[in-house]
Amino acid sequence: MGLLVLAGTNGFAVARNNAAPGTAPEDAGQVVRPNSRVLSQAPDEKAELVEFLDFECEACLAAHPFVEELRKEHGRTVTIVNRYFPLPGHRNSMNAAVAVGAAAQQGAYRQMDQKMFRTHQDWGGSAEDKSAVFRGFARELGLDMAAYDRAVA
């Protein structure tokens, strides 16, 4: 849990420092946003956990099994939400978030999300653009590639 807090805090600090002075997005105080992905909606919600997720981040990769465990063990009382948070220091984090978002538009968020984590060692940390690799994942998942390409564009 401390790892999640640390990663979230670091991500917040990076995003805050990259914002234009004197500007704040309209949804600045809103933690769950329209593009957030609800992994599990607790029927008896007592709390909401929002994971700020950079698919290329090694800390996020390490925390993934823990978040899955939380979802399984506390799914009746804790709503678990993923929110894209690509960090500027990761070459493919935005590309990965866009690819997962495009898959989500076709109802395949969890499949693409899991694919990103399972294959992280193959593309994470690369200095090369891995958009073609992510497009290959979409094809493997059987997505409508024309719709995928439109969503990515």
Side-chain angles (χ1 to χ4, degrees):
M1 185 67 152
L3 185 60
L4 286 174
V5 172
L6 178 60
T9 303
N10 287 341
F12 175 76
V14 169
R16 186 173 178 196
N17 288 336
N18 288 336
T23 64
E26 289 180 24
D27 54 1
Q30 185 179 356
V31 177
V32 178
R33 297 183 179 176
N35 69 339
S36 300
R37 302 296 168 195
V38 177
L39 299 183
S40 61
Q41 179 67 53
D44 185 26
E45 185 177 283
K46 304 286 187 223
E48 191 171 66
L49 172 73
V50 178
E51 178 184 20
F52 288 82
L53 185 59
D54 175 338
F55 290 102
E56 192 166 5
C57 174
E58 297 215 0
C60 293
L61 177 66
H64 180 68
F66 176 71
V67 173
E68 287 296 302
E69 186 179 316
L70 282 174
R71 188 176 62 81
K72 289 174 186 165
E73 288 182 23
H74 302 284
R76 296 222 28 92
T77 58
V78 178
T79 295
I80 309 284
V81 178
N82 279 163
R83 184 164 153 201
Y84 307 133
F85 199 78
L87 298 173
H90 295 141
R91 170 69 170 97
N92 286 290
S93 62
M94 180 60 81
N95 295 335
V98 168
V100 173
Q105 289 181 20
Q106 295 187 45
Y109 174 79
R110 290 296 287 166
Q111 294 91 333
M112 184 66 96
D113 165 71
Q114 296 301 312
K115 184 82 167 166
M116 289 292 182
F117 285 118
R118 280 194 313 273
T119 62
H120 183 271
Q121 70 281 356
D122 298 332
W123 60 268
S126 176
E128 299 172 18
D129 182 341
K130 295 297 182 179
S131 297
V133 170
F134 304 149
R135 190 174 191 281
F137 294 166
R139 184 176 293 114
E140 289 172 23
L141 294 174
L143 299 182
D144 174 331
M145 295 310 295
Y148 175 86
D149 290 339
R150 280 191 304 276
V152 167

